Structure formats: C-alpha cells, structure tokens
Amino acid sequence: MAKFMDVHHGMQGITAEQLHQAHDADLAIQSEENVVFEQAWADPESGIVYCLSEAPSAEAVQRIHERAGHPADEVHPVPLTV
Amino acid sequence: MAKFMDVHHGMQGITAEQLHQAHDADLAIQSEENVVFEQAWADPESGIVYCLSEAPSAEAVQRIHERAGHPADEVHPVPLTV
C-alpha cells in the first residue's frame, strides 16, 4: 500500500454537496480495489479537486474514480510526507 | 482564515530530509504571516510537492514560501473539504 494524490481539473462551480456525493461514490466501491480515500479538497473557482488515498497502485485509484464517474487527470504516488 | 493547497513543481529527486528541512524553514517563520502549514506530500519522481495550510490569504502562504526559499508555482484556496 502506498499514498497517492490525484488531481481533477475542470470542476468549476463544484458545491459541497457534489463533492460529498462524488466522495461517497468512491467510498461505496473502493474496497473492490483495496483503495482507501482519506480526504479531498476542492477549489470551485479554479475547478481543481485534490484527493488523498492509500492504495496498492495508481491504476487502482484511477479504476475507482473511473467507475464512480469522475476519472482523475493526474494520479501521483506521494511516498514522502511531513 | 481559510484552507489552501499549494503546489511546487520541478522538485525531482527530493529526499525525505530535504522535504523536512523545507517544511521546517516554513514553520520557523509562518507565524509572522499567521500561516499554519499542516501537511506536505512529495513525489520525487514527478517532482511535485503539495502543501496544505491554514492562512489569511494565498499571498500570505506565498510570502512564507518565498522567504523560506521555495516559492510555490500555484496556491489555491480549497474552501470545500471532505
């Protein structure tokens, strides 16, 4: 398992409710890929959403996001944390 | 006070020690701008570093990063969290 930060662009105008719904859609199926989505942060103005997860691979993170209807534009391992 | 995510590019090869030193340099002066750096995540391969903070403004975050020697390439307010 490793930590990943993934980034979604083009989410201008996202509301708190939409962020919650998107996150819940991930949580509902994440165990099928052994992914744990931990936190997400959104900027409705620039349309960027950041998601932090623990997962076996970047591909596993992306498969959950794709199946939940919101593929990420970038998925980066973040092995260093402070 | 609001939450901000800032992003640094071009940090390929960053080590755990360098990330800690950079973070410590921020912590040493952050109170002068009422910024609180909370967490940071780094991907040495793509050279991206993400920093999460609480701050009065994006400019305050950037001033601390600049004075600490590592200006951010992007600073985004992230008013929505999940």
Side-chain angles (χ1 to χ4, degrees):
Chain A
M1 294 289 277
K3 239 180 221 316
F4 293 88
M5 185 76 83
D6 67 79
V7 185
H8 305 251
H9 297 278
M11 308 294 280
Q12 279 82 2
I14 187 170
T15 65
E17 190 183 342
Q18 287 169 330
L19 181 65
H20 273 276
Q21 285 174 347
H23 188 62
D24 286 347
D26 289 326
L27 298 189
I29 57 171
Q30 65 181 11
S31 66
E32 295 170 31
E33 296 276 1
N34 295 312
V35 176
V36 179
F37 284 100
E38 297 179 342
Q39 282 182 273
W41 301 269
D43 176 12
E45 200 176 312
S46 68
I48 302 180
V49 178
Y50 302 94
C51 298
L52 186 70
S53 62
E54 284 269 347
S57 69
E59 292 71 24
V61 173
Q62 184 64 296
R63 280 194 293 268
I64 296 297
H65 274 335
E66 279 174 354
R67 289 177 52 203
H70 45 254
D73 296 296
E74 309 165 45
V75 184
H76 298 286
V78 282
L80 306 183
T81 321
V82 80
Chain B
M1 295 286 279
K3 238 182 224 314
F4 293 88
M5 184 75 83
D6 67 78
V7 186
H8 305 250
H9 296 279
M11 308 294 278
Q12 280 82 2
I14 188 171
T15 65
E17 191 182 342
Q18 288 169 330
L19 182 65
H20 274 275
Q21 285 175 347
H23 189 62
D24 287 347
D26 289 326
L27 298 189
I29 57 172
Q30 66 180 9
S31 65
E32 295 169 31
E33 296 275 359
N34 295 313
V35 176
V36 179
F37 285 101
E38 297 179 340
Q39 280 183 273
W41 301 269
D43 176 11
E45 200 176 311
S46 68
I48 301 180
V49 178
Y50 302 94
C51 298
L52 186 70
S53 62
E54 283 269 348
S57 69
E59 291 72 24
V61 173
Q62 185 65 295
R63 280 194 293 269
I64 295 297
H65 274 335
E66 279 174 354
R67 289 176 52 202
H70 45 254
D73 296 295
E74 309 167 45
V75 185
H76 297 287
V78 282
L80 306 184
T81 321
V82 81

